[in-house]
Amino acid sequence: PELAKYSPAYLLEIITADPDLVLVARATASYIGFCISVPDDDLIWLDWYGVDSAWQRQGVALALLETHSAIFRTRGVLKIWCDSRTDNMPSRWALQKAGYREVCTFEQHWYGQDYVILEKLLG
């Protein structure tokens, strides 16, 4: 269900509203990672990020997350928050390494799965 949300039209709408809401990582001519956000009042919701499997464990996720934080810190955003499935340990570890802290766990939440909520204070 989530993948259908990220249509080309939806991504174009986000980028048109604010180009900083979609980041991409490239290596030569290939796209190897992405980070998509949406404004959430005075906060930023880190909606989805990912790295091509051939490039995982090479610092791409951390670079995307740190760049993302730096952009919104300079814009005066006080906090970025996001979620991760509780069983998605690679994502949780990358987020923690990038300075996010786990705030709470929601059991049987979106799509009947367990999620952890994370936040990163920027201010």
Side-chain angles (χ1 to χ4, degrees):
E2 276 297 292
L3 190 56
K5 173 182 172 181
Y6 299 96
S7 68
Y10 176 72
L11 292 173
L12 182 59
E13 179 183 328
I14 293 172
I15 293 167
T16 301
D18 184 344
D20 289 337
L21 295 174
V22 178
L23 303 178
V24 294
R26 291 179 53 167
T28 60
S30 301
Y31 293 100
I32 61 171
F34 65 90
C35 182
I36 302 169
S37 299
V38 293
D40 185 15
D41 294 319
D42 293 336
L43 311 175
I44 293 292
W45 173 255
L46 174 56
D47 206 14
W48 193 21
Y49 78 99
V51 175
D52 183 285
S53 60
W55 287 88
Q56 291 177 355
R57 297 184 180 206
Q58 296 184 45
V60 177
L62 185 59
L64 279 166
L65 293 169
E66 288 180 344
T67 299
H68 181 261
S69 295
I71 288 168
F72 290 105
R73 182 179 290 112
T74 63
R75 291 172 57 166
V77 172
L78 299 178
K79 179 169 48 173
I80 301 170
W81 69 305
C82 62
D83 65 37
S84 179
R85 287 188 327 272
T86 56
D87 63 353
N88 188 348
M89 293 312 296
S91 176
R92 291 172 65 184
W93 289 328
L95 288 162
Q96 289 173 6
K97 190 170 184 178
Y100 287 76
R101 73 177 186 93
E102 295 186 1
V103 178
C104 65
T105 301
F106 292 137
E107 296 178 359
Q108 298 295 302
H109 201 56
W110 295 290
Y111 312 109
Q113 299 176 2
D114 298 341
Y115 283 82
V116 62
I117 302 297
L118 301 97
E119 69 177 5
K120 181 173 183 177
L121 301 177
L122 301 178

